């Protein structure tokens, strides 16, 4: 039904998950019996997708961002938010948590992010390695809001963000881009995607580097102040091939290394990672999707005192390891049903080694180590039942989770043990469910409703690692309970004419035992479970396509409140930290020919509070971005990009008057070649 395809930012987006045929059928609309279709993706979507609030971004929307960064792409989706407004050039990587539906409040991700089915969040901190997820490598992005189900659904308390890698149909045989901005920063990328027999291989690399912009306001800079210099290198390799006429194999690898300087000279952070996965997808009578992956990451960070400008903390290393996989089968149970039976497993461990220093003497004052292991085994079943114009879906998921081997050890400057704590192991079973319905009233109207529950384990960082952002210290809490979500939503999709699509969703989500950084004394906070974060609101999207011109917009308005009592009573009724009430975006695009694209994007984010007690408010911000791809000659095109064209002041942090700023006006120019 065509009106369902328009629940997207760009009308063509629904095609992004459609199979990519490598051999043309003998006749239009009729595939030859010997044709082998290789998609490079998982199993096709079930009919239940329209029962939930879903947004799909197609290749044009993903690849044509002003910054060339995935967080910029995702900011066009109603309800998406990072912990801070900084992007992955100027944020501390450990603060790159992502969430949906105003359920934020700390830096851990409450949205599940998958790259070709593999969870990518750092196992220790819960952040997303955004700089490694190059939009140039992606075919599409799908965002599903609300509690998750299916594989790895335990972490999807606010929703799921699925990134699908591009193949030859999106990138062509060879594509390369070289860009430079007015500060002399560069962005270079290249992708090769040759077809090999009935399969294909894609190999890509991206290198970003620059001296960065000033994150410190001019009146707060000193001799030790520094620009947000950055350098990121990442590479990806994928091979997709048929094993039989219905089974394909997908092998993928990703490596990346990222370094940044934040605010002061010597305040350097690094994040790096390697991951590999192997996937088998069967599209025969008994459909199946079997995936296994291995993932290693590391993080380091140096903190410089804002007063003495000496090193006060060296987070020397935080190595993590995660292995896991899933197996899902869809037995043939008749045309009216799509039955999914599956299991997934994720085993992870992470350890921190850091050294605090005296801001007065510059000498080491202690040596700390902390870490632990976590695991989750999930079993799930879901059935989608089509009854004429009505589609019903219901599923249940059981998780066996463990938190083990947690510890915190500290030695003083002389090497004497000052603290050595081994925390008790914990484990439990948790059951969650999700159900929904969509009624396709006619070709122009559909109604939907859904209810769901979900769960997120506290990260190892939240459990075991204290940290300081001067002058505030935040303590860990090894007794944190898992977060539990209960949510409801209802929506309407309207497609009155072919060129127009409208979507409106009302939701009510309650995150029980939400983990927040709670103030317990002056300049002292602790990670604690509050009773709940209760978020209610609306999400709206509209798409208008008129010939060569398109206009697409989204809006999220949320009333999000903390529910707390007892010693946390001061938080009751407060809005969670770093959560705006209103966020909206609109993109106007013109494509006079397929190889052309001119687009401008307006974004607005309302005011938000810096801390749990709402003592400091970050002002609202409105920005305008632009993108142009103009053919030159042959395979070459001119690329022009503009970030924050009005040079709006973006306040990303205000800690007792110490302010950090986001990206200023940035103008890019370069060339793109495509074969």
């Amino acid at each position: 039904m065509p009106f369902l395809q328009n629940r997207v930012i760009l009308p063509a987006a629904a095609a992004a998950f459609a199979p990519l045929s490598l051999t043309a059928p003998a006749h239009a609309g009729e595939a030859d019996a010997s044709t082998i279709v290789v998609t490079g993706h998982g199993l096709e979507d079930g009919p239940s997708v329209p029962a939930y609030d879903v947004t799909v971004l197609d290749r044009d929307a993903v690849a044509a961002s002003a910054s060339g960064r995935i967080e910029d792409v995702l900011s066009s989706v109603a309800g998406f938010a990072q912990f801070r407004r900084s992007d992955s050039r100027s944020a501390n990587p450990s603060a790159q948590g992502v969430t949906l539906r105003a359920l934020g409040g700390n830096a851990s991700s409450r949205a599940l992010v998958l790259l070709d089915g593999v969870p990518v969040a750092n196992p220790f901190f819960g952040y997303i390695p955004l700089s490694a997820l190059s939009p140039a490598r992606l075919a599409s992005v799908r965002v599903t809001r609300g509690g998750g189900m299916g594989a790895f659904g335990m972490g999807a308390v606010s929703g799921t963000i699925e990134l699908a890698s591009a193949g030859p149909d999106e990138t062509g045989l060879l594509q390369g881009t070289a860009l430079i901005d007015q500060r002399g920063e560069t962005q270079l990328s290249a992708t090769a995607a040759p077809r090999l027999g009935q399969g294909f291989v894609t190999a890509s690399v991206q290198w970003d580097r620059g001296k960065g912009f000033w994150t410190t306001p001019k009146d707060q800079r000193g001799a030790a102040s520094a620009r947000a210099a950055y350098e990121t290198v990442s590479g990806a390799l994928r091979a997709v091939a048929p094993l039989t006429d219905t089974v394909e194999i997908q092998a993928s690898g990703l490596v990346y290394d990222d370094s940044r300087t934040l605010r002061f000279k010597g305040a350097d952070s690094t994040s790096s990672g390697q991951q590999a996965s192997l996937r088998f997808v069967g599209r025969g009578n008994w459909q199946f999707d079997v995936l296994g992956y291995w993932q290693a990451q590391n993080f380091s960070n140096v903190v410089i005192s804002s007063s003495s400008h000496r090193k006060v903390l060296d987070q020397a290393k935080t190595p993590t390891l995660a292995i896991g996989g899933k197996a899902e089968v869809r037995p043939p149970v008749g045309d009216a049903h799509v039955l999914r039976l599956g299991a997934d497993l994720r085993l992870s461990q992470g350890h921190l080694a850091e050294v605090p220093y005296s801001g007065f003497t510059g000498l080491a004052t202690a040596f700390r180590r902390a870490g632990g292991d976590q695991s989750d085994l999930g079993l799930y079943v879901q059935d989608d039942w089509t009854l004429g114009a009505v589609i019903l879906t219901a599923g249940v998921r059981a998780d066996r989770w463990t938190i083990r081997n947690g510890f915190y050890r500290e030695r003083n400057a002389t090497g004497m043990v000052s603290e050595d704590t081994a925390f008790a192991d914990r484990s439990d079973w948790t059951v969650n469910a999700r159900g929904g319905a969509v009624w396709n009233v006619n070709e122009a109207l559909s109604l939907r409703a859904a209810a769901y529950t979900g769960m997120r384990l506290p990260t190892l960082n939240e459990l075991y690692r204290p940290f300081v952002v001067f002058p505030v210290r935040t303590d860990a809490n090894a007794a944190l309970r898992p977060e539990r979500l209960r949510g409801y939503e209802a929506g309407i999709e309207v497609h009155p004419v072919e060129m127009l699509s409208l979507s409106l969703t009302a939701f009510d989500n309650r995150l029980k035992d939400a983990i927040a950084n709670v103030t317990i004394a002056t300049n002292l906070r602790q990670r604690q479970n509050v009773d709940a974060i209760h978020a209610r609101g609306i999400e709206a999207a509209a798409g208008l396509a008129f010939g060569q011109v398109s206009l697409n917009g989204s809006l999220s308005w949320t009333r999000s409140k903390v529910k707390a009592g007892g010693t946390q009573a001061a938080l009751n009724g407060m809005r969670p930290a770093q959560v705006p009430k209103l966020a909206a975006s609109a993109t106007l695009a013109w494509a006079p020919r397929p190889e052309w694209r001119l687009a401008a994007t307006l974004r607005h984010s309302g005011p938000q509070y810096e801390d749990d007690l709402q003592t400091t408010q970050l002002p609202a911000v409105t920005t305008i971005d632009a993108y142009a791809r103009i053919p030159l000659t042959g395979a070459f095109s001119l690329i022009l990009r503009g970030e924050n064209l009005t040079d709006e002041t973006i306040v990303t942090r205000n800690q007792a008057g110490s302010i950090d700023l986001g990206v200023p006006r940035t103008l890019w120019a370069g060339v793109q070649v495509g074969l």
Side-chain angles (χ1 to χ4, degrees):
M1 281 167 255
F3 63 91
L4 293 179
Q5 297 181 1
N6 285 278
R7 299 176 59 202
V8 296
I9 296 298
L10 291 177
F17 283 92
L20 309 176
S21 177
L22 300 184
T23 307
H27 303 284
E30 179 183 347
D32 184 87
S34 62
T35 297
I36 296 178
V37 176
V38 176
T39 74
H41 304 309
L43 294 175
E44 286 68 34
D45 301 329
S48 66
V49 171
Y52 303 99
D53 190 5
V54 177
T55 295
V56 180
L57 307 180
D58 68 3
R59 171 71 177 178
D60 283 341
V62 171
S65 76
S67 67
R69 295 178 176 272
I70 190 63
E71 62 270 27
D72 182 36
V73 173
L74 290 168
S75 63
S76 294
V77 177
F80 171 82
Q82 300 182 82
F83 177 62
R84 296 194 186 277
R85 295 167 173 171
S86 307
D87 67 14
S88 56
R89 289 166 292 196
S90 60
N92 188 294
S94 65
Q96 290 180 173
V98 302
T99 191
L100 298 160
R101 290 199 164 160
L103 291 176
N106 68 25
S108 298
S109 293
R110 290 186 168 113
L112 173 66
V113 181
L114 303 172
L115 175 62
D116 297 320
V118 177
V120 298
N122 180 277
F124 190 91
F125 293 97
Y127 70 79
I128 306 300
L130 297 172
S131 60
L133 306 176
S134 170
R137 301 186 186 119
L138 301 179
S140 61
V141 175
R142 181 168 66 184
V143 180
T144 305
R145 303 167 185 86
M149 273 290 296
F152 311 115
M154 185 190 70
V157 291
S158 71
T160 303
I161 300 172
E162 299 169 85
L163 311 178
S165 292
D169 284 13
E170 292 86 14
T171 65
L173 174 62
L174 178 66
Q175 185 177 96
T177 305
L179 294 156
I180 188 169
D181 70 9
Q182 82 271 24
R183 294 186 293 272
E185 297 157 358
T186 57
Q187 186 176 96
L188 305 174
S189 65
T191 300
R195 301 182 189 274
L196 301 177
Q198 293 173 314
F200 62 83
V201 173
T202 61
S204 67
V205 63
Q206 181 160 317
W207 180 29
D208 300 348
R209 65 176 301 184
K211 63 181 180 181
F213 52 85
W214 288 103
T215 59
T216 308
K218 191 171 184 179
D219 61 355
Q220 296 186 5
R221 296 175 200 163
S225 298
R227 292 173 177 266
Y230 64 94
E231 183 171 13
T232 301
V233 178
S234 64
L237 180 66
R238 295 190 79 225
V240 179
L243 294 180
T244 70
D245 57 348
T246 60
V247 179
E248 70 180 67
I249 182 174
Q250 305 168 12
S252 301
L254 173 69
V255 296
Y256 62 90
D257 187 81
D258 179 291
S259 60
R260 308 175 198 176
T261 299
L262 305 176
R263 194 175 176 88
F264 297 112
K265 296 174 184 177
D268 302 325
S269 64
T270 67
S271 62
S272 60
Q274 309 85 40
Q275 73 178 42
S277 65
L278 190 63
R279 190 178 196 178
F280 297 89
V281 180
R283 296 183 171 85
N285 197 31
W286 281 75
Q287 297 185 350
F288 60 86
D289 189 342
V290 179
L291 167 72
Y293 68 88
W294 169 90
Q295 185 181 77
Q297 299 185 42
N298 199 2
F299 170 80
S300 70
N301 183 52
V302 174
V303 178
I304 301 295
S305 167
S306 60
S307 55
S308 68
H309 301 144
R310 292 178 180 270
K311 178 170 63 175
V312 292
L313 179 66
D314 183 0
Q315 293 173 254
K317 58 183 179 180
T318 316
T320 66
L321 177 65
I323 59 173
K326 72 165 186 178
E328 177 178 309
V329 63
R330 300 183 185 181
V333 291
D335 294 339
H337 290 272
V338 175
L339 178 62
R340 301 172 58 189
L341 306 172
D344 60 73
L345 176 67
R346 181 172 172 86
L347 308 173
S348 62
Q349 64 179 34
H351 299 88
L352 168 75
E354 65 181 22
V355 181
Y357 290 82
S358 168
F360 301 100
T361 67
L363 300 177
T365 60
F367 304 90
R368 301 171 183 158
R369 294 183 62 86
D373 304 338
Q374 292 183 326
S375 69
D376 178 70
L377 170 64
L379 307 172
Y380 62 92
V381 57
Q382 178 176 312
D383 184 49
D384 302 342
W385 188 13
T386 303
L387 296 168
V390 176
I391 300 172
L392 304 177
T393 178
V396 63
R397 177 184 171 92
D399 287 275
R400 173 65 175 180
W401 58 266
T402 68
I403 300 174
R404 298 180 297 110
N405 302 325
F407 71 94
Y408 180 86
R409 300 188 186 107
E410 182 172 321
R411 296 177 182 271
N412 62 24
T414 65
M416 296 290 292
V417 175
S418 55
E419 183 176 349
D420 189 353
T421 304
F423 301 103
D425 294 347
R426 289 187 282 161
S427 62
D428 201 357
W429 279 96
T430 302
V431 178
N432 291 288
R434 186 171 76 163
V438 58
W439 176 27
N440 299 317
V441 180
N442 52 45
E443 292 189 353
L445 174 66
S446 67
L447 305 174
R448 53 186 168 80
Y452 35 77
T453 63
M455 188 192 77
R456 180 184 78 89
L457 283 181
T459 65
L460 298 172
N461 179 55
E462 292 168 325
L463 290 166
Y464 307 130
R465 174 186 168 263
F467 69 95
V468 177
V469 178
F470 186 84
V472 178
R473 173 185 170 91
T474 302
D475 286 336
N477 184 353
L480 289 172
R481 298 181 297 276
E483 297 179 335
R484 297 169 294 126
L485 177 81
R486 184 184 66 203
Y488 313 91
E489 65 183 64
I492 181 172
E493 313 289 333
V494 182
H495 186 66
V497 292
E498 184 177 357
M499 66 182 67
L500 177 64
S501 62
L502 303 170
S503 172
L504 180 66
T505 302
F507 66 89
D508 186 316
N509 285 187
R510 180 182 289 266
L511 186 66
K512 299 181 179 180
D513 290 326
I515 299 171
N517 298 333
V518 177
T519 298
I520 57 177
T522 302
N523 293 331
L524 180 60
R525 298 174 186 162
Q526 184 187 40
R527 298 185 183 96
Q528 295 182 1
N529 294 104
V530 299
D531 291 342
I533 293 177
H534 189 194
R536 293 179 290 179
I538 59 171
E539 293 158 344
L544 176 64
F546 188 77
Q548 302 165 343
V549 178
S550 64
L551 176 62
N552 297 274
S554 67
L555 177 145
S556 173
W557 179 89
T558 311
R559 184 179 183 273
S560 185
K561 298 292 184 182
V562 174
K563 303 296 183 182
T567 60
Q568 303 171 345
L571 300 180
N572 192 52
M574 297 288 190
R575 190 169 184 83
Q578 308 294 337
V579 172
K581 181 179 293 185
L582 175 67
S585 72
T587 298
L588 178 65
W590 177 44
R593 293 197 300 272
E595 61 270 22
W596 282 71
R597 182 171 175 83
L598 304 174
T601 299
L602 174 71
R603 293 191 181 93
H604 174 80
S605 181
Q608 58 194 52
Y609 292 103
E610 171 71 27
D611 62 315
D612 60 324
L613 293 177
Q614 301 186 357
T615 57
T616 304
Q617 187 178 76
L618 308 182
V621 60
T622 301
T623 60
I624 299 175
D625 295 344
Y627 175 90
R629 182 178 67 238
I630 304 170
L632 294 175
T633 180
F636 291 89
S637 297
L638 173 67
I639 303 296
L640 301 173
R641 303 191 321 206
E643 304 177 63
N644 191 7
L645 291 178
T646 59
D647 205 21
E648 178 89 347
T649 298
I650 305 172
V651 179
T652 63
R653 185 188 69 94
N654 185 345
Q655 190 71 59
S658 176
I659 292 174
D660 284 345
L661 303 175
V663 62
R665 179 169 49 232
T666 303
L667 305 176
W668 296 86
V671 295
Q672 184 178 84
V673 60
L675 299 176

